[in-house]
Amino acid sequence: MSRTVEHHKTTAVDSPEALGAETPEASIDALGTLLTPSANSWWRGDTIYQIYPRSFADGNGDGTGDLRGVRQRLPYLKELGINAIWYTPWYESPLADGGYDVADYRRIDPAFGDLAEAEALIQDALALGIRTIVDVVPNHVSAAHRWFQQALAAEPGSPERARFWFHPGLGENGDQPPTHWPNNFAGPTWTRLTNEDGTPGEWYLHLFDPEQPDLNWSHPEVVQEHEDILRFWFDRGVAGIRIDSAALLVKDPALPEIPENPGPGEHPNTDRDELHTIYRGWRRVAEEYRDRAPLGGRALIGEIWLPDAERFAAYLRPDEMHTAFNFDFMTRQWKAEELRASIDLMRDAHAPIGAPCTWVLSNHDVTRVVTRYGREDSSFEFLKKRRGIPTDLALGTRRARAAALLTAALPGSLYIWQGDELGLPEVEDLPDEERQDPMYHRSNGVDPGRDGCRVPLPWSGQEPPFGFEPEGSTAPTWLSQPADWNTYTVEAQRKDPGSMLNLYRRMLEFRERDAALGDGPFRWLTASDHAGFGPEVLAFARADGFISVTNFSGEPFALPERAQLLLSSSPLEGGLLPADTTAWLRLTQHPSRTN
Ligand code: GLC
């Protein structure tokens, strides 16, 4: 099959050549070389499945997911058609924030298994062609980490305390925190210690929970230790690192308050320019491994929440990270103009630095996509009251199906949060006493927290634990599953040709086989290409005459003639593309197709 896309001036869609990219041939040719997924650039277009080990599958029957459970379910993931797995933290941890409070990076939490099991899992997955991405959390450690324990045992001003942000308080008695910076989980950002003699002591900084003290990144040992952690996991066959809270690590040592409208680089704890030096160091480590078979390139993937797309993209310069999560897209409303604007914004920001976009519908921190898209306001924002909001799940599911195909057709890599392939809804009625997320507790329940998207997956059977645990186990799952999840199980969905799971399977099969998908050329199609492609429709062409069309308008319309329907998120109605539906098409007479 030819992988070049020719440039044509005609614009009527019924002359199929119109759908070749408008970009000049030379630049298309340059892009075309990226269409062949090479070992060194897998991260440009792969499909990555996110596993929250606690909730994926339980291999030992204690009600908590573990690495044995994942190993047993690898064939499921292979069959689903993903290329890589990102694990949220699996290291030793008191689990005060679900593992984002790491006590020891070189050990696996006993709830999940041990290092030998992790090594075996990485190798088992590789044997199936699946790469492993681990999560590194550099902004903070657990309060149980040896460094913090040493700091607590040491005096103010000691070298042990210099690895963190210990500080005397303000005011006459030092009883005012050093700053009034807001906390990412609500509540205070500084905690005051009590000295051994019972007198009040220094304060320490935590942008998240008090169990997650912030590290001082101007300390050379902090820098060195993290580069060693990267090597530790790369040496074990890990192909990528997801970098947690990547824009927060560096703080202004003068600890000023946050200005009302901080200019670029002026925020005292977010997106400071010194961060780029840190990630250049990490990139050098990744490059040391670049040509080692069979894995090839090792990727750095940033969790970067920044409203400024250019500042965001600066982290993806060729000597820094490889990609970063596209949260702009993930948090937008289900509206054509919103998503079009986001796609343009992110593609334009990535283009000058040659980095690929990522496409993400949800993750372990946000409301499940079928629930969010069923709400009148389908945007997402943290610390916003989100309890008791009416949701139309049938509508949300229909839209989530359309969104799955839309995102899987966009150029770049694709992230799938576990359970989204089953269309699981947010569990909004978890009993409050079961909720563990510090976001819920620290906001006094204003924010429902993130437990509702982390409920253990349903695999089979008619009642909880729905095959999450081995046959015969009766331990309650760590968060309870809704009693009516029998219709969502993998087993039930396998048998139903119209299920979300079967849609994901077919979609990923195309994505894997079709060179037009993943990284590569892209061009918007408009009403001048085809009368149906008005402002309420997102239609675009990829290579080889591949077209994706999503209908956001209430009105069904006829798809272009001379196009073969490859897949649609909901059935066509009388040959028309109905509302909230995506169709994948291929022009049957595209000139660049040779088969
Ligand atoms: C990231 C993680 C989130 C965690 C936080 C603190 O945002 O995705 O789950 O709570 O960092 O580590």
Side-chain angles (χ1 to χ4, degrees):
M1 177 165 56
S2 155
R3 290 185 175 173
T4 48
V5 177
E6 287 160 34
H7 177 52
H8 296 276
K9 294 210 169 60
T10 347
T11 50
V13 80
D14 288 336
S15 68
E17 56 274 27
L19 296 175
E22 267 178 353
T23 340
E25 263 167 71
S27 67
I28 285 291
D29 280 344
L31 287 171
T33 59
L34 301 172
L35 284 174
T36 317
S38 95
N40 281 341
S41 54
W42 58 272
W43 41 271
R44 298 193 70 95
D46 264 9
T47 302
I48 297 137
Y49 186 87
Q50 183 192 351
I51 287 189
Y52 197 73
R54 226 175 171 185
S55 303
F56 183 72
D58 172 13
N60 68 0
D62 64 358
T64 290
D66 49 36
L67 303 191
R68 192 190 302 170
V70 182
R71 279 182 85 190
Q72 290 163 348
R73 304 289 183 176
L74 282 176
Y76 166 77
L77 295 174
K78 179 70 192 164
E79 202 180 52
L80 183 60
I82 55 114
N83 316 110
I85 302 172
W86 151 35
Y87 295 93
T88 60
W90 56 17
Y91 322 103
E92 195 169 273
S93 163
L95 302 178
D97 180 21
Y100 283 95
D101 46 323
V102 179
D104 189 341
Y105 275 105
R106 294 170 180 82
R107 297 165 78 98
I108 300 295
D109 195 85
F112 303 143
D114 58 19
L115 188 58
E117 185 99 55
E119 289 170 348
L121 174 55
I122 294 165
Q123 292 309 321
D124 286 0
L126 255 188
L128 296 174
I130 297 174
R131 288 180 164 85
T132 293
I133 297 168
V134 295
D135 213 318
V136 167
V137 190
N139 180 65
H140 44 264
V141 290
S142 162
H145 190 281
R146 72 189 148 82
W147 278 359
F148 195 69
Q149 288 300 310
Q150 289 162 2
L152 289 181
E155 295 295 308
S158 61
E160 288 82 357
R161 289 203 173 182
R163 296 188 189 112
F164 296 90
W165 289 95
F166 284 92
H167 225 266
L170 302 180
E172 224 172 278
N173 307 315
D175 53 7
Q176 297 297 311
T179 70
H180 294 89
W181 297 348
N183 187 285
N184 284 292
F185 287 166
T189 292
W190 294 85
T191 292
R192 194 171 195 184
L193 300 171
T194 306
N195 295 322
E196 259 179 35
D197 62 4
T199 56
E202 285 192 308
W203 297 73
Y204 71 89
L205 173 70
H206 49 88
L207 293 183
F208 295 89
D209 194 81
E211 292 299 312
Q212 297 165 294
D214 280 46
L215 288 166
N216 174 6
W217 271 87
S218 55
H219 197 298
E221 282 175 32
V222 172
V223 175
Q224 185 60 48
E225 168 66 357
H226 283 81
E227 294 187 1
D228 290 350
I229 292 166
L230 300 190
R231 290 196 182 89
F232 180 89
W233 288 103
F234 285 152
D235 285 340
R236 282 165 176 75
V238 159
I241 305 286
R242 182 259 187 190
I243 310 170
D244 186 73
S245 304
L248 303 185
L249 282 47
V250 177
K251 280 89 190 176
D252 182 343
L255 298 181
E257 292 299 346
I258 300 169
E260 208 172 309
N261 288 308
E266 281 175 15
H267 194 290
N269 67 34
T270 304
D271 187 30
R272 297 193 60 80
D273 292 334
E274 301 88 329
L275 283 160
H276 298 285
T277 311
I278 297 171
Y279 296 125
R280 289 193 178 107
W282 289 33
R283 180 63 176 250
R284 283 193 294 273
V285 176
E287 293 298 325
E288 288 167 19
Y289 290 81
R290 188 182 157 84
D291 298 318
R292 293 201 203 165
L295 274 179
R298 314 292 165 110
L300 303 173
I301 304 148
E303 189 209 15
I304 304 175
W305 290 85
L306 289 180
D308 181 330
E310 264 180 53
R311 295 285 298 183
F312 167 92
Y315 291 86
L316 309 181
R317 288 175 288 194
D319 59 346
E320 300 193 39
M321 300 177 195
H322 298 76
T323 63
F325 297 102
N326 180 348
F327 294 130
D328 186 89
F329 186 87
M330 186 185 77
T331 50
R332 297 266 187 153
Q333 301 238 37
W334 178 254
K335 286 186 177 166
E337 73 270 21
E338 284 274 316
L339 296 178
R340 188 194 307 275
S342 179
I343 293 166
D344 283 341
L345 177 75
M346 295 314 276
R347 293 193 68 247
D348 289 351
H350 284 72
I353 44 173
C357 289
T358 64
W359 305 101
V360 189
L361 289 173
S362 76
N363 63 30
H364 65 296
D365 289 332
V366 303
T367 311
R368 282 272 184 200
V369 68
V370 300
T371 303
R372 178 163 71 85
Y373 281 158
R375 292 175 177 165
E376 201 183 325
D377 176 355
S378 54
S379 64
F380 178 84
E381 218 179 298
F382 285 113
L383 296 175
K384 189 165 123 185
K385 192 159 172 50
R386 288 192 308 274
R387 300 186 88 182
I389 302 174
T391 296
D392 177 343
L393 272 187
L395 179 66
T397 303
R398 183 179 177 88
R399 290 175 170 174
R401 293 173 66 97
L405 259 60
L406 165 64
T407 47
L410 286 165
S413 58
L414 178 70
Y415 285 80
I416 298 171
W417 164 228
Q418 67 176 35
D420 275 2
E421 82 279 20
L422 302 176
L424 294 184
E426 183 82 3
V427 181
E428 299 192 272
D429 57 356
L430 274 175
D432 284 348
E433 61 278 10
E434 279 192 27
R435 291 180 194 266
Q436 301 208 5
D437 186 4
M439 250 179 165
Y440 167 75
H441 293 286
R442 288 172 61 84
S443 70
N444 294 321
V446 170
D447 189 303
R450 301 161 295 177
D451 296 304
C453 70
R454 300 173 177 179
V455 171
L457 295 193
W459 291 91
S460 58
Q462 294 305 314
E463 53 198 45
F466 297 114
F468 176 74
E469 298 173 13
E471 191 81 27
S473 305
T474 54
T477 50
W478 74 278
L479 290 172
S480 49
Q481 300 162 307
D484 61 359
W485 267 15
N486 56 334
T487 52
Y488 286 104
T489 63
V490 171
E491 181 185 52
Q493 296 204 34
R494 266 199 178 122
K495 294 179 200 145
D496 172 5
S499 69
M500 186 72 95
L501 179 60
N502 278 319
L503 177 71
Y504 264 77
R505 284 218 183 117
R506 286 200 298 274
M507 165 183 107
L508 294 180
E509 205 183 324
F510 269 109
R511 211 178 129 83
E512 184 65 17
R513 273 204 326 239
D514 200 317
L517 296 176
D519 199 19
F522 165 97
R523 177 167 86 84
W524 284 120
L525 300 173
T526 65
S528 61
D529 295 300
H530 174 68
F533 296 166
E536 290 296 294
V537 172
L538 293 190
F540 52 87
R542 304 294 314 270
D544 280 336
F546 182 100
I547 299 173
S548 175
V549 188
T550 308
N551 186 2
F552 292 78
S553 78
E555 296 303 312
F557 67 88
L559 290 167
E561 284 170 24
R562 285 191 269 171
Q564 174 201 356
L565 179 67
L566 302 175
L567 190 59
S568 63
S569 60
S570 296
L572 299 196
E573 288 168 10
L576 305 179
L577 186 72
D580 294 318
T581 304
T582 298
W584 283 0
L585 311 171
R586 172 154 269 128
L587 291 178
T588 41
Q589 294 169 28
H590 190 270
S592 71
R593 284 186 60 75
T594 53
N595 58 357

